[in-house]
Amino acid sequence: VSVANIVLERAMALNAEHPELLFFAGHFARRDGDKDKARFYWAKLLDKIPASSETARLLQLELDKLARYIFFPKHYFLL
């Protein structure tokens, strides 16, 4: 467990719905190979931002990638 993960867990205990925390929780989950957890956090984030925003578009691209990739810790491969 990295220091960043520990800090994120503590911050999320205070405000688990904060958009930046949801983004980083998804990012760390993806980095660690947990695509289900990444999808969970990023889907929650998508519900909180304007659907027409560039951020929503880019986040949806990342969610689409999660559906197409097999994850191994620190690596991922296109199906």
Side-chain angles (χ1 to χ4, degrees):
V1 176
S2 72
V3 172
N5 283 43
I6 293 169
V7 171
L8 179 65
E9 286 176 15
R10 289 181 181 171
M12 290 194 75
L14 298 173
N15 186 358
E17 299 298 316
H18 191 282
E20 288 181 22
L21 297 177
L22 291 171
F23 171 79
F24 282 110
H27 171 75
F28 291 144
R30 182 184 63 179
R31 179 199 65 192
D32 295 340
D34 190 340
K35 70 179 185 176
D36 292 332
K37 190 181 273 188
R39 188 178 300 117
F40 171 79
Y41 287 122
W42 285 348
K44 282 182 81 168
L45 176 56
L46 264 183
D47 288 341
K48 296 184 172 300
I49 59 177
S52 61
S53 70
E54 181 68 5
T55 301
R57 186 186 72 77
L58 294 172
L59 194 56
Q60 187 60 58
L61 287 173
E62 291 301 314
L63 284 166
D64 293 344
K65 285 181 194 176
L66 287 174
R68 296 190 321 260
Y69 287 79
I70 297 174
F71 277 80
F72 298 94
K74 309 291 183 192
H75 304 285
Y76 53 92
F77 302 90
L78 182 61
L79 290 177

